[in-house]
Amino acid sequence: MGQIEQGLERALRTRPIPSSTEARLRFLLTTHQGSTRKVATVLGVSQRTVQRWVTKRAEARRPPGPLQVRAIEEAVLARWQPRVRARRRAQAETEGFVFHTRARFGFAAPAGSSDDPRVRWITQDLPGEVARELFAARDAGAGEQQQTVILARALGHAYFREWGRRAHGLHVAFSDVEFADFSIG
């Protein structure tokens, strides 16, 4: 998961995801009404394995392996705050969002301009159309590169060309993203 994808995920949540594997397992059990069978089905393991992970007896407890920890994390991410996520996504798509980033920006511009790429801190308000395009690309399985292209085009128009008032024909190159955060509402 790239920086942009992580930033989108953080923006859609209002509470942090449980950090420990035990807390994540408790959340999955709560979500599935305490049924270890349902949790086992979701994670692709046996019911007995889930029972070993969550037992209160220390001598019988077995920690999940790295692959199972990743499966638990993905299952929690998929089920964490679904209504909040839908509401915040709808809000971003209608009202827009503020994009905060530190990344390398370069330009393809006419002769005489400074087109050397350099690291910049940028905070820019972007419209809901950009949010719709980003979420549609993410839903279609677009990777970090395609999402970077969408944001470069939006930042080029909003930040560097000031909504079409200057620097016509400037093409923005956006790379080496150190962080990408989104503020909704």
Side-chain angles (χ1 to χ4, degrees):
M1 186 180 294
Q3 293 294 326
I4 295 170
E5 183 74 23
Q6 289 176 3
L8 282 173
E9 285 298 317
R10 281 190 304 270
L12 293 176
R13 294 189 301 259
T14 57
R15 290 188 349 225
I17 294 174
S19 57
S20 71
T21 303
E22 293 80 21
R24 290 175 179 173
L25 283 167
R26 281 194 304 272
F27 169 76
L28 288 175
L29 282 169
T30 303
T31 304
H32 293 94
Q33 294 85 33
S35 171
T36 55
R37 177 175 293 150
K38 291 178 183 176
V39 172
T41 303
V42 167
L43 299 176
V45 295
S46 70
Q47 181 180 4
R48 183 69 188 119
T49 300
V50 174
Q51 290 169 344
R52 282 189 200 109
W53 292 342
V54 299
T55 186
K56 296 200 185 316
R57 294 187 354 239
E59 68 277 358
R61 190 176 312 137
R62 300 285 183 265
L67 290 175
Q68 289 84 16
V69 168
R70 182 72 186 140
I72 293 167
E73 180 182 7
E74 289 174 3
V76 169
L77 283 173
R79 289 162 180 77
W80 189 253
Q81 295 185 311
R83 291 188 302 249
V84 171
R85 292 168 52 86
R87 186 175 63 242
R88 290 186 57 92
R89 178 178 174 163
Q91 182 180 7
E93 289 177 348
T94 57
E95 300 172 10
F97 60 89
V98 178
F99 180 56
H100 313 277
T101 189
R102 179 177 162 95
R104 183 171 305 280
F105 290 90
F107 311 100
S113 67
S114 171
D115 60 354
D116 292 337
R118 61 184 178 258
V119 174
R120 294 178 186 242
W121 289 84
I122 293 181
T123 296
Q124 179 65 44
D125 192 10
L126 295 174
E129 296 85 40
V130 176
R132 279 192 292 279
E133 191 175 355
L134 265 177
F135 286 122
R138 188 182 74 159
D139 293 346
E144 186 82 2
Q145 182 62 33
Q146 292 158 319
Q147 293 172 349
T148 302
V149 168
I150 294 167
L151 286 170
R153 187 173 50 241
L155 286 172
H157 183 68
Y159 182 81
F160 294 102
R161 291 191 294 270
E162 291 183 1
W163 304 101
R165 290 191 294 264
R166 67 180 187 97
H168 303 288
L170 180 72
H171 176 73
V172 177
F174 178 42
S175 62
D176 300 334
V177 179
E178 291 180 23
F179 75 88
D181 282 327
F182 300 83
S183 298
I184 300 172

